[in-house]
Amino acid sequence: MLFNSFEFFAFYSTFLAVFFVAPKRIRPILILIASYVFYAGWRPSFLLLLILTTCVDYCTALVIDNAKRHWVRRTALITALTINLGILGTVKYLDFILTNLIGVSGFLGIELPPMAVNFVLPVGVSFYTFQSVGYTLDVYKRRFPAERNPLYYAIYVSFFPQLVAGPIERASHMLAQYKEQKPSSPHRITSGLWLVGWGLFKKMCIADLAAPFVKGVYANPSAFDGSYTLIATLLFTLQIYCDFSGYSDIAIGVARIMGFDLMVNFRQPYLATSLTTFWRRWHISLSTWFRDYLYLPLGGNRTSTLVWTRNILIVFAVSGIWHGANWTFLVWGLLHGTALITEELVSRRRTNRNNVLLSNSQLVAEYALPAKKPVRFILGLTYTLSFTIVGWVFFRANKISDALKILGSWTHLSLPNYGTFKILGLPSVELFMLAIHVIVLIIVDCLLAYSPQKLSASRRSSFISVGAAVVLFYDIFLFGAFGRTDFVYFQF
Amino acid sequence: MSYRSFGISLALFILATTTIWTILFSLQVHLPYVSNGAAVVGHFKRSIAAKQSDYDNSNIRIAAFGDSRTLAAFNPRVFDALFAPKVRSYNFGIPGDSQFMPVLKTLLTSGTHPTHILLQYLPMDPVVEDSWRKILKDDKLIVNTLFPFRNFVRDLFLFVSESRSDGGLLAHYRSNRDQIEKLEKDRGYYFIKSQSHYAGNRLPDGYSLPTDRPTQVLERYLNTSNNGFVELTSLANKYELQIFVVPTAVRPGELAVPPEEDKSLSDRLKSFPQIHVVGPAYWIFELKYFSDPVHLNPDGAAVYSKRLADLLKPEFGN
């Protein structure tokens, strides 16, 4: 059930109607039922895996919390990690490992028969596994007591707005909200609706309009010259941001209407002036997850430069491979890790190294537009964006050789032909509307980053607010792409 | 924000959206020729199929189905002239629509039905059974039902931009209307002028696209268990139709040169005696016959229709 479908609209409207009239004490049960129905919509068998993950972490966390002996706690933790990561590893990486094993054996002269298992990757498995593992680790580190009520814990793992593509939440942030259940208010409903609308706009009016062209070119990059591969990569840069941040906005909005606050997942990352700040603004819930559960346990920055370098590379390699079972993701992660290390070493900001993966609350001050240093700002923006775009080539390409071909093709640029745009799904009206939508996106993102008070002030006027809502409504319904296109991050 | 101001904002929103909906709907109804050629052609052909006014009592009544390639390639006037007076044909090609079964069914149940069917391709999409669960999953259907003017607004953009080179808004509107009237006279054949951007409606020499596959022979789609195909064969039996799968025209280099006979498709259709595969999967036409990367210009259509007539001569006689 996709957020950008009428099926979800019908599901969510029905759910809200029941949820708002139901007594407070049965609302958690309703949320859990709705979450399971939502997830089973993809494939009912996936639900078994979700329930298994929930049971494993609920039980092992209780054992960890209650145990007095260290070895019991440790055994329970290892059991939980083995099961969770074992499931994730099997369904997501087994074929990749087998394929590479066959390749290496062939290279060594040992012929192995094809051994593909072809598991269907359960949607959102990487997200809810990480959320559940994070909780178990928090309980083990005694940062958070184990949840006694299985209902609340089950909701924490399966809460439908963020179940399939995050934000990857923390138990400390969500469990209290499920228990407290703040009443919704007109303000929360309005701001939730705005987020949903803005998320749909990004997904349907930008990401999905750009998607066919990107798909067409990246499916066979050798057939296209540099202009097309460059345009496709620029469009993918927009697509991946609008698709994923759009999903996050809708998730946050949907939860907010119900009375729950999810963490912010994106803060205008393409306005970052360094890779360090880019990673504080891109997929924040995953970055902070890796910071808390991998980077800091490895020693963070409180070690020698060599170990710190190793730590960063490990985090980015794991982050890369988390996105998918393909060498391209690993290269993408390592590319960013290496650049981040270089950037940090060059800028000699060793004292702030721990801030490479910052907390949300520390981000706000970073938005001040550096009016006094505009050249530095523009150079920083250009460098970060250019590097990010190059990184996306590896992220999107099917093979490393394709990525290298694409990068190589940029040395020969020719004038693109309109016919190709048309054949690849971007005829004139779509192209024109895409351009308009991107301009709107840039303006809104700049306002959100540098002058959020202006946006808030405009929303206080009923006429401006309603006018903008009507324009957004018709823009989505008249120019948005309909037809059940998945969110890019569902595959992860 | 209080409940009162929330209520006022909501009321204003509903009022504004309803007003805009009404305006756009009225514009669409009253300005049919603003819609793009594909929409107008599709609408016109569906209504022709329902009215069933074009077939007389000729011995051989032909309906040609396909997408915009067929629309711009098969000229019934040229084709029929070569078999006069016993053949009467009609071009039912509809741009961007691979589902020809609904039009065929309407045609068969509306009076004098065709005796022969020319197909660019066999049914690709399964016939969709309407059930509320399926409808709920069909976002395109829902959005187009809720906002029937959805394409009209897109077309309005194109209409305004194209009108500049066509003597203004009014002149462009009249020109669109005239084209549809011509389509009626030409029995469904339509030259897609709006997509022709080259001098003399001809592609320049050496024209190619990165999406071309000059080494690939395109195999035509066939799924005999597809319920669209099953329905087609059952209609063929019921109405004693003879179905011919005919070649289309592609540019040089767009695809590799196919074998002269599409043996592969014929072999797979051996057990369906009412379906005949004639000629290759496609013909390679010179660039001068194309007005855009996909569609033939009027000269190309004339050549195509003659070649098709030659191909079908053994079936229809001289």
Side-chain angles (χ1 to χ4, degrees):
Chain A
M1 211 181 294
L2 300 168
F3 282 169
N4 54 332
S5 68
F6 285 103
E7 192 184 15
F8 178 76
F9 176 76
F11 162 82
Y12 186 58
S13 314
T14 313
F15 167 77
L16 278 187
V18 180
F19 182 76
F20 283 138
V21 297
K24 213 171 166 181
R25 67 194 153 77
I26 68 157
R27 286 183 179 180
I29 300 169
L30 288 176
I31 295 174
L32 186 65
I33 293 170
S35 297
Y36 283 170
V37 169
F38 174 81
Y39 196 60
W42 266 281
R43 189 181 278 214
S45 58
F46 289 171
L47 195 55
L48 296 174
L49 211 56
L50 179 69
I51 292 171
L52 176 69
T53 304
T54 309
C55 293
V56 166
D57 287 290
Y58 173 75
C59 296
T60 49
L62 281 180
V63 172
I64 292 168
D65 207 24
N66 293 335
K68 300 230 164 46
R69 288 163 195 257
H70 183 64
W71 70 267
V72 177
R73 290 165 47 76
R74 205 174 168 78
T75 309
L77 176 71
I78 290 169
T79 308
L81 292 181
T82 309
I83 295 173
N84 281 305
L85 300 179
I87 292 171
L88 184 62
T90 308
V91 296
K92 196 165 175 177
Y93 302 106
L94 189 60
D95 276 348
F96 176 65
I97 293 167
L98 290 174
T99 309
N100 282 286
L101 197 69
I102 293 167
V104 171
S105 312
F107 185 72
L108 297 173
I110 307 161
E111 285 299 319
L112 292 176
M115 292 186 282
V117 183
N118 293 326
F119 277 122
V120 178
L121 186 67
V123 66
V125 65
S126 308
F127 289 90
Y128 69 71
T129 303
F130 266 41
Q131 186 160 307
S132 208
V133 165
Y135 161 79
T136 311
L137 287 167
D138 278 344
V139 173
Y140 179 75
K141 291 274 182 188
R142 297 204 188 283
R143 290 184 198 129
F144 192 78
E147 176 55 49
R148 309 277 148 180
N149 188 329
L151 176 62
Y152 289 127
Y153 184 71
I155 296 173
Y156 165 68
V157 179
S158 63
F159 187 47
F160 72 85
Q162 44 92 229
L163 171 62
V164 290
I168 302 168
E169 279 292 350
R170 306 300 171 85
S172 54
H173 184 223
M174 295 311 295
L175 281 169
Q177 292 191 59
Y178 298 137
K179 290 174 187 171
E180 189 189 351
Q181 286 186 51
K182 278 185 208 160
S184 204
S185 64
H187 174 72
R188 290 186 71 85
I189 293 172
T190 312
S191 65
L193 285 173
W194 269 112
L195 276 169
V196 171
W198 183 238
L200 288 174
F201 169 81
K202 285 200 271 189
K203 165 71 179 158
M204 299 166 79
C205 298
I206 299 180
D208 287 352
L209 285 190
F213 188 90
V214 176
K215 192 177 173 186
V217 173
Y218 269 80
N220 187 12
S222 327
F224 297 89
D225 80 10
S227 335
Y228 298 105
T229 57
L230 182 60
I231 292 168
T233 307
L234 293 176
L235 288 177
F236 181 67
T237 304
L238 285 168
Q239 187 200 349
I240 186 90
Y241 169 57
C242 290
D243 192 283
F244 195 19
S245 73
Y247 177 90
S248 297
D249 286 344
I250 300 168
I252 296 166
V254 162
R256 189 173 291 175
I257 292 168
M258 293 158 64
F260 302 101
D261 289 317
L262 299 180
M263 73 183 289
V264 173
N265 217 10
F266 289 85
R267 287 183 191 270
Q268 297 77 50
Y270 291 150
L271 295 176
T273 51
S274 68
L275 287 172
T276 311
T277 46
F278 174 82
W279 280 105
R280 289 175 196 162
R281 298 174 181 195
W282 181 273
H283 201 174
I284 297 165
S285 66
L286 183 69
S287 302
T288 50
W289 194 98
F290 277 121
R291 177 198 65 194
D292 293 344
Y293 302 114
L294 187 60
Y295 177 68
L296 293 178
L298 283 170
N301 71 324
R302 295 172 198 282
T303 55
S304 65
T305 302
L306 198 66
V307 176
W308 167 74
T309 304
R310 181 207 66 180
N311 294 347
I312 290 282
L313 286 178
I314 290 174
V315 168
F316 276 90
V318 175
S319 167
I321 212 74
W322 176 89
H323 284 86
N326 194 331
W327 293 110
T328 51
F329 292 114
L330 185 71
V331 171
W332 170 76
L334 289 173
L335 208 62
H336 270 276
T338 312
L340 204 71
I341 291 163
T342 314
E343 192 179 275
E344 286 295 298
L345 292 176
V346 168
S347 65
R348 299 182 185 282
R349 284 162 54 185
R350 293 286 308 279
T351 48
N352 292 329
R353 273 186 319 188
N354 225 9
N355 292 345
V356 169
L357 302 160
L358 264 182
S359 69
N360 285 343
S361 58
Q362 289 169 283
L363 294 169
V364 180
E366 289 181 5
Y367 285 107
L369 190 64
K372 286 179 188 169
K373 295 175 182 171
V375 175
R376 194 172 165 180
F377 172 78
I378 291 166
L379 284 177
L381 199 72
T382 311
Y383 143 72
T384 310
L385 201 52
S386 309
F387 186 86
T388 312
I389 290 168
V390 170
W392 289 136
V393 175
F394 286 93
F395 192 93
R396 180 61 181 80
N398 298 324
K399 291 179 285 189
I400 292 175
S401 56
D402 279 359
L404 294 174
K405 259 182 222 161
I406 288 169
L407 290 172
S409 72
W410 293 356
T411 52
H412 302 288
L413 301 179
S414 60
L415 201 63
N417 182 322
Y418 169 65
T420 308
F421 280 86
K422 202 169 174 179
I423 283 178
L424 291 175
L426 270 182
S428 53
V429 176
E430 274 70 16
L431 202 58
F432 176 73
M433 289 314 295
L434 181 63
I436 299 282
H437 293 152
V438 172
I439 292 168
V440 172
L441 174 79
I442 293 170
I443 293 170
V444 173
D445 264 9
C446 285
L447 281 173
L448 282 169
Y450 305 121
S451 192
Q453 65 281 6
K454 272 191 187 166
L455 267 185
S456 312
S458 64
R459 274 173 49 187
R460 271 181 227 122
S461 155
S462 270
F463 281 102
I464 294 177
S465 181
V466 169
V470 171
V471 171
L472 188 64
F473 176 85
Y474 273 109
D475 197 12
I476 291 168
F477 281 106
L478 298 183
F479 300 107
F482 282 81
R484 310 184 68 75
T485 43
D486 277 356
F487 286 85
V488 174
Y489 262 66
F490 280 11
Q491 63 184 297
F492 308 139
Chain B
M1 179 185 257
S2 65
Y3 278 101
R4 188 171 176 275
S5 61
F6 178 71
I8 291 170
S9 297
L10 188 64
L12 277 174
F13 177 81
I14 293 169
L15 185 70
T17 45
T18 313
T19 308
I20 292 171
W21 194 98
T22 312
I23 291 167
L24 290 173
F25 185 74
S26 309
L27 282 173
Q28 185 209 16
V29 170
H30 291 105
L31 299 171
Y33 300 111
V34 165
S35 293
N36 71 22
V40 180
V41 167
H43 178 76
F44 175 78
K45 290 198 172 172
R46 286 183 194 99
S47 67
I48 279 289
K51 279 194 279 182
Q52 231 307 312
S53 58
D54 199 72
Y55 284 122
D56 53 18
N57 287 322
S58 308
N59 296 341
I60 299 171
R61 299 181 294 275
I62 298 171
F65 289 96
D67 57 22
S68 58
R69 280 188 193 264
T70 300
L71 172 74
F74 181 67
N75 188 335
R77 283 175 179 278
V78 176
F79 185 85
D80 293 2
L82 298 167
F83 296 105
K86 59 182 177 182
V87 168
R88 177 82 170 172
S89 63
Y90 201 90
N91 182 334
F92 279 101
I94 297 178
D97 196 347
S98 58
Q99 288 242 31
F100 64 87
M101 288 301 289
V103 181
L104 175 61
K105 278 194 276 185
T106 312
L107 198 56
L108 292 172
T109 51
S110 308
T112 316
H113 63 74
T115 53
H116 294 72
I117 305 289
L118 306 185
L119 292 183
Q120 178 189 335
Y121 42 68
L122 289 153
M124 287 191 246
D125 306 320
V127 175
V128 179
E129 298 298 331
D130 290 345
S131 74
W132 70 270
R133 285 190 68 182
K134 279 193 176 144
I135 290 171
L136 193 60
K137 284 179 185 288
D138 192 342
D139 288 341
K140 276 188 184 166
L141 175 73
I142 296 172
V143 77
N144 289 331
T145 309
L146 291 174
F147 301 92
F149 43 78
R150 195 165 178 259
N151 290 323
F152 172 80
V153 176
R154 289 155 177 259
D155 296 340
L156 198 57
F157 273 83
L158 281 176
F159 180 83
V160 172
S161 81
E162 284 167 6
S163 68
R164 286 181 302 173
S165 57
D166 202 11
L169 292 171
L170 204 61
H172 189 48
Y173 188 79
R174 284 188 188 131
S175 153
N176 281 2
R177 189 188 55 200
D178 294 347
Q179 279 194 54
I180 296 302
E181 281 170 7
K182 190 167 183 320
L183 171 108
E184 194 172 3
K185 282 181 201 149
D186 287 344
R187 298 209 295 278
Y189 163 72
Y190 183 73
F191 166 51
I192 306 173
K193 194 181 167 191
S194 63
Q195 294 185 22
S196 170
H197 303 298
Y198 291 94
N201 299 318
R202 292 166 164 214
L203 287 183
D205 291 342
Y207 183 93
S208 66
L209 286 177
T211 43
D212 290 350
R213 303 282 175 270
T215 56
Q216 188 185 329
V217 173
L218 189 76
E219 284 216 15
R220 287 182 283 191
Y221 176 89
L222 172 67
N223 178 359
T224 51
S225 54
N226 172 338
N227 61 0
F229 183 86
V230 173
E231 194 170 19
L232 177 70
T233 47
S234 120
L235 288 174
N237 289 334
K238 184 176 173 188
Y239 292 97
E240 296 178 341
L241 300 173
Q242 290 299 311
I243 296 168
F244 294 90
V245 187
V246 298
T248 49
V250 303
R251 283 176 290 113
E254 186 177 344
L255 291 164
V257 179
E260 278 185 24
E261 299 289 328
D262 192 348
K263 289 281 273 176
S264 151
L265 189 67
S266 319
D267 289 347
R268 287 187 288 158
L269 284 167
K270 253 183 188 157
S271 49
F272 301 95
Q274 64 280 62
I275 304 179
H276 317 275
V277 180
V278 288
Y282 45 87
W283 283 312
I284 310 276
F285 267 48
E286 288 175 66
L287 280 174
K288 66 177 182 183
Y289 291 129
F290 282 87
S291 58
D292 66 59
V294 182
H295 307 114
L296 294 175
N297 57 28
D299 289 346
V303 175
Y304 175 86
S305 305
K306 280 177 194 155
R307 278 182 84 168
L308 196 60
D310 287 342
L311 193 67
L312 291 167
K313 245 176 206 164
E315 309 294 338
F316 303 151
N318 287 312

